[in-house]
Amino acid sequence: DLGTVMGLPANDYNYTPGDFDNDGDIDIYSLQHNGGALNRLLRNNVDNGTFIKVELEGTASNRDGIGAKVSIWPTGQAHTVENLLGYHQVAANGSGMSPRGPWTHFGLGDVTSVDVEVRWPSGRADRRTNVAAGSTVAIEEGLVAHWTFDDGTGTTAADSSGNGNNGALTNGPVWAPGILAGAVSFDG
């Protein structure tokens, strides 16, 4: 029982995990069922290194991605069991009045970027490559391409969906500094 481990009263029986303060670690919201007791937000203030949060939106499968299998690997390393950083199968879980959202959270330690793969209940697989640590990545089932336009040089926009649908940039693209990396400056 989580409440016993944390030293909470017996009437703390609904717990919802989540990154409520958006600082990269998992906090816990405790919902009291005793009418006179206060609800509690237990903030995790430990600096655990970096993280990534994956939010799912199913289209052919169910909307919340229940049953989807999310795997992450360090960017550029072979997608093998030996290199696997994390795995989570999304479940419809929670306790009583404390449901959990359609997201998955992975602690990364010192890893700075990852490749993410989602295997949906429909059988489809979607991928994102070179996802920066400390970020939230939204993955929609069946996305055909995802161009970040942060390549920095050249006339190709790399497809980070994992589907290999690179874009051809024509009419002399101008590369500029971006907020997180390079960017393309459009003239229209």
Side-chain angles (χ1 to χ4, degrees):
D1 176 26
L2 182 60
T4 304
V5 170
M6 295 171 31
L8 297 175
N11 62 350
D12 284 7
Y13 75 104
N14 285 298
Y15 304 100
T16 300
D19 186 7
F20 293 98
D21 51 6
N22 290 316
D23 65 353
D25 53 34
I26 299 295
D27 309 302
I28 298 175
Y29 184 76
S30 169
L31 179 66
Q32 307 288 316
H33 86 320
N34 180 345
L38 297 175
N39 297 336
R40 299 175 188 183
L41 175 61
L42 303 168
R43 289 189 57 216
N44 178 356
N45 293 322
V46 176
D47 183 12
N48 293 332
T50 59
F51 72 98
I52 186 168
K53 186 167 135 181
V54 180
E55 294 179 345
L56 303 178
E57 183 178 337
T59 54
S61 300
N62 61 81
R63 181 165 177 78
D64 289 337
I66 295 168
K69 298 171 184 175
V70 182
S71 302
I72 62 168
W73 294 270
T75 295
Q77 292 191 16
H79 293 183
T80 63
V81 173
E82 293 79 26
N83 293 335
L84 185 68
L85 287 176
Y87 170 85
H88 179 79
Q89 184 168 2
V90 179
N93 61 7
S95 63
M97 296 178 280
S98 300
R100 191 175 173 276
W103 52 265
T104 299
H105 185 280
F106 295 96
L108 301 179
D110 295 330
V111 174
T112 58
S113 67
V114 296
D115 295 341
V116 180
E117 179 182 85
V118 179
R119 295 202 169 267
W120 299 91
S122 68
R124 178 171 179 82
D126 287 308
R127 295 170 188 84
R128 299 293 178 277
T129 57
N130 200 26
V131 178
S135 64
T136 298
V137 60
I139 300 179
E140 180 181 334
E141 182 179 15
L143 184 68
V144 174
H146 181 251
W147 302 292
T148 58
F149 296 105
D150 62 1
D151 307 86
T153 62
T155 58
T156 301
D159 174 16
S160 63
S161 73
N163 295 325
N165 295 318
N166 295 332
L169 302 175
T170 60
N171 298 326
V174 176
W175 292 96
I179 294 173
L180 298 175
V184 175
S185 177
F186 293 98
D187 65 0

